[in-house]
Amino acid sequence: MLTAEEQSLIQKVWEKTASHRDEIGGESLYRLFTSYPSTKTYFPHFDLSCGSEQIRSHGKKVVAALSTAVKSLDNLSQALSELSSLHAYNLRVDPVNFKLLSQCIQVVLALHLGKEYTPEVHAAFDKFLSAVAAVLSEKYR
Ligand code: HEM
């Protein structure tokens, strides 16, 4: 799991994204659909063009869930339990897709934070997003 140092790094960096967090979600999703077109199959009911209202509003939801996760780093399983059930039982998202979205979120964070996205921050976020993905996938087993 995340060390105390990694936890505080994630909390500090997430705080810095506060003013542009809503865009981060939508940009990550658009990047996901563009870089990995197979992910679009889960969103047949969405307008997937760049900056569409649906992408923006869904992006806000994803980022809000990540904010919840950042506040619950010691207890991700419980904090994301409902989302885990939703993705496993209702949406049936293949777990491989969580890694793809994590990667897109990392690229977008790097674009927004520039030099502040240091290798240490990158490593901490990679661990954090892997932990979120693990929780969202755990109910598939
Ligand atoms: C819905 C979060 C990964 C597909 C949602 C919702 C949230 C969320 C908060 C809305 C739940 C609600 O309305 O109650 C996340 C997080 C992810 C993640 C935090 C990983 C970091 C994925 C991936 C896919 C996916 C990788 C598929 C490629 C969907 C779909 C919906 C959804 C299809 C329903 C959209 C709709 O019809 O409104 N997700 N998700 N999610 N998610 Fe995810």
Side-chain angles (χ1 to χ4, degrees), residues 61-62 65 79-88 91 136 139:
K61 289 185 199 169
V62 172
L80 301 177
S81 173
E82 271 182 37
L83 266 191
S84 178
S85 300
L86 177 78
H87 286 81
L91 301 168
L136 291 188
K139 298 200 178 162

Side-chain angles (χ1 to χ4, degrees), residues 62-94:
V62 172
V63 161
L66 291 178
S67 290
T68 301
V70 168
K71 286 190 205 124
S72 326
L73 292 173
D74 282 329
N75 201 358
L76 284 181
S77 256
Q78 205 183 321
L80 301 177
S81 173
E82 271 182 37
L83 266 191
S84 178
S85 300
L86 177 78
H87 286 81
Y89 305 133
N90 297 37
L91 301 168
R92 298 168 193 271
V93 175
D94 186 323

Side-chain angles (χ1 to χ4, degrees), residues 77 84 98 128-141:
S77 256
S84 178
F98 294 112
F128 165 59
L129 291 170
S130 298
V132 169
V135 169
L136 291 188
S137 308
E138 73 192 4
K139 298 200 178 162
Y140 290 82
R141 292 187 202 110

Side-chain angles (χ1 to χ4, degrees), residues 2 11 15 17 19 26 38 45-46 49-50 52 57-58 60 66 88 93 113 132:
L2 295 158
Q11 280 156 350
E15 212 36 63
T17 66
S19 59
S38 62
H45 51 310
F46 269 40
S49 55
C50 186
S52 83
S57 96
H58 190 61
K60 284 185 199 170
L66 291 178
V93 175
L113 293 165
V132 169

Side-chain angles (χ1 to χ4, degrees), residues 24-37 39 62 66 95-112 117 121-134:
I24 288 175
E27 286 172 28
S28 301
L29 287 172
Y30 184 66
R31 205 167 262 274
L32 177 75
F33 301 139
T34 306
S35 307
Y36 308 105
T39 57
V62 172
L66 291 178
V96 80
N97 294 294
F98 294 112
K99 286 203 175 63
L100 303 179
L101 178 59
S102 299
Q103 203 182 50
C104 293
I105 292 170
Q106 294 249 27
V107 172
V108 173
L109 282 174
L111 285 168
H112 279 258
Y117 206 72
V121 172
H122 184 158
F125 261 89
D126 192 52
K127 247 172 129 175
F128 165 59
L129 291 170
S130 298
V132 169

